[in-house]
Amino acid sequence: MADVRGILTRRLDSAWKRGEPSALLADWAERIAALRAVSADVAEAAEGYAVGIAGADDAAAIQTVRNAALSRENGAFTEALALGPSLSVDEKRVLGKGLNLGKALIEAVEKAKREALERSKEDANALDVTLPGRRPFVGRPHVLAQVRDELLDLFHGLGFSVYTSPEVELDTYNFGKLNFAPDHPARDAHDTYFVNPDVVLRTHTSPGWVRAMEERKPPLRLVFPGRVYRAEAVDASHMDQFHQMDGLYVGKNVSMADLKATLNTFARAIYRRDVPTRIIPIYFPFVEPGVQMDVQCATCKGTGRYKDESGERRCPVCKGTKWVEVLGAGMVHPNVFRAVGYDPEEVTGFAFGMGLERITMGRHGIHEIRQFLENDTRFLSQF
Ligand code: PHE
């Protein structure tokens, strides 16, 4: 009989690194035993090639061993198969079966080895210590919260404490006790979200004064930060919810001079040290006299004109008025004191209320109020 064993083992190379096929194939032991039962010669050869593939360091080394065993031109298994015609029918049947099993086994080890190499490449990538680290995402306070906190800090320094009150408020606190006439237009369903006829979403933070005064005795020095709601058509400068901060100072002999000093301190701290301000009369039901404080327009520096590449024109921010409104204020109306049980002959007080979005937009040159609520980190991470 032809030298099947010689042909099959001739191309094994003792220079190949040896590996452990059973580490690659879970059913290695059963398969090699089954093969041995058919043909010990084929089993011995198949094991030799499998050990070489298992020990290969890279794809090229795998290919070398594989070719030695299975190459179509001169692989050991191909040559052994070519012995067929010289064998008896029985020998041919046994050899054919053995060669098929052996070939399948070598191919299975090869496939498992290639996959193992891929995996270890990925593992190596995962552990590439030369890659720059991934920075963890770090959040930050919302820009409105930053401005609110800066204001709280400032007013804390002036002796004001924080008082918070509900966003869902009784109509009497939002309006009645603040001296709104029953037919005042701000009560109109157009401006106010009503929960029911007696309950509204507060349209300003001023109802906090009423709650604080009903709860406490003068003197009071409080600020009232919070969210407010108005049924407004939404556009780049209007939203139906925004933020305010009111302030209230009630005591003996609190005067308009105290109000002006407080507001100027605020403007210098929040805008700039030498910002020109003005106070002009305006009506609010809950203060008398009522005023509005303006600061000089920072965009046109108080000229009312604005120049850029496309020429000179009216300042788009102050609309040529040279001033931008920043807050409402005034001396607390005697009717408000009466509504909370304070004696207007005994105490006086000033109050003010400002919009946080307006201050923040002016400071950072933001022209789109809706961005505050969109939670787009490309916007928020700029501040
Ligand atoms: N509450 C007023 C508003 O929302 C602002 C204000 C507060 C005016 C305090 C005067 C005094 O417009």
Side-chain angles (χ1 to χ4, degrees):
M1 175 178 155
D3 183 11
V4 173
R5 188 171 179 280
I7 289 172
L8 280 173
T9 56
R10 198 164 55 211
R11 303 207 54 199
L12 288 170
D13 186 341
S14 58
W16 293 339
K17 269 176 81 174
R18 300 171 62 82
E20 190 47 73
S22 63
L24 292 167
L25 279 190
D27 57 358
W28 166 261
E30 293 93 284
R31 291 177 71 167
I32 196 73
L35 177 54
R36 211 170 276 127
V38 175
S39 161
D41 291 342
V42 178
E44 188 196 332
E47 180 159 11
Y49 295 107
V51 164
I53 288 172
D57 283 327
D58 52 29
I62 294 174
Q63 196 62 39
T64 302
V65 180
R66 196 215 112 90
N67 283 346
L70 305 178
S71 149
R72 262 180 227 269
E73 291 83 23
N74 52 8
F77 277 57
T78 312
E79 285 179 15
L81 202 59
L83 293 172
S86 65
L87 301 176
S88 73
V89 173
D90 272 356
E91 286 171 337
K92 208 158 101 180
R93 194 177 46 74
V94 170
L95 180 65
K97 189 174 176 199
L99 289 177
N100 278 340
L101 286 174
K103 178 169 184 248
L105 190 50
I106 291 169
E107 284 172 343
V109 172
E110 180 197 358
K111 177 163 180 281
K113 179 66 186 181
R114 287 191 193 277
E115 285 167 3
L117 274 183
E118 274 311 306
R119 265 199 308 281
S120 70
K121 238 191 250 167
E122 280 162 23
D123 290 351
N125 287 342
L127 286 171
D128 185 348
V129 293
T130 65
L131 283 175
R134 282 180 207 170
R135 251 171 229 290
F137 176 80
V138 179
R140 67 183 73 210
H142 191 283
V143 61
L144 286 174
Q146 292 178 30
V147 170
R148 177 202 61 203
D149 290 348
E150 191 177 327
L151 288 168
L152 291 180
D153 221 39
L154 169 72
F155 286 114
H156 184 229
L158 296 175
F160 290 77
S161 316
V162 172
Y163 187 97
T164 53
S165 68
E167 291 179 21
V168 181
E169 184 56 283
L170 291 171
D171 177 89
T172 50
Y173 284 85
N174 196 79
F175 295 124
K177 295 183 185 210
L178 285 170
N179 197 37
F180 280 79
D183 57 354
H184 191 282
R187 292 185 175 222
D188 210 309
H190 186 76
D191 291 319
T192 307
Y193 285 120
F194 282 88
V195 174
N196 65 43
D198 300 322
V199 177
V200 302
L201 299 185
R202 66 178 176 190
T203 60
H204 51 173
T205 44
S206 307
W209 323 350
V210 180
R211 289 181 173 270
M213 288 192 286
E214 285 187 344
E215 225 173 82
R216 302 177 186 183
K217 288 193 184 326
L220 292 182
R221 225 184 292 175
L222 297 169
V223 283
F224 305 84
R227 192 183 294 239
V228 303
Y229 301 84
R230 289 186 197 172
E232 303 239 30
V234 173
D235 65 25
S237 48
H238 297 87
M239 262 203 314
D240 63 353
Q241 52 177 292
F242 52 99
H243 297 80
Q244 289 189 334
M245 191 180 305
D246 269 37
L248 175 70
Y249 182 9
V250 180
K252 285 198 189 302
N253 302 316
V254 176
S255 74
M256 193 90 183
D258 299 317
L259 171 61
K260 287 175 72 172
T262 303
L263 295 184
N264 278 329
T265 303
F266 151 79
R268 283 167 196 154
I270 298 301
Y271 290 87
R272 51 178 225 269
R273 261 164 60 86
D274 54 351
V275 66
T277 60
R278 69 173 183 181
I279 281 180
I280 57 176
I282 190 171
Y283 174 75
F284 295 102
F286 33 90
V287 285
E288 180 57 38
V291 299
Q292 157 184 327
M293 185 172 76
D294 296 348
V295 296
Q296 192 185 69
C297 178
T299 304
C300 64
K301 303 196 176 55
T303 63
R305 307 292 298 169
Y306 185 75
K307 232 198 314 213
D308 62 13
E309 321 70 72
S310 61
E312 197 198 307
R313 59 206 147 94
R314 202 182 67 165
C315 174
V317 172
C318 65
K319 310 271 184 277
T321 64
K322 306 175 185 177
W323 298 95
V324 290
E325 178 197 336
V326 291
L327 52 78
M331 302 306 293
V332 178
H333 197 289
N335 286 348
V336 175
F337 284 142
R338 285 188 197 100
V340 300
Y342 283 10
D343 180 355
E345 301 298 326
E346 277 291 310
V347 292
T348 54
F350 69 70
F352 55 84
M354 56 186 83
L356 297 190
E357 278 81 356
R358 176 184 289 261
I359 292 171
T360 308
M361 290 170 86
R363 164 178 295 185
H364 293 295
I366 298 165
H367 300 297
E368 172 52 85
I369 195 171
R370 286 169 285 200
Q371 288 183 309
F372 290 121
L373 265 188
E374 278 170 359
N375 272 346
D376 186 332
T377 54
R378 290 170 302 181
F379 170 73
L380 295 174
S381 62
Q382 295 176 60
F383 308 103

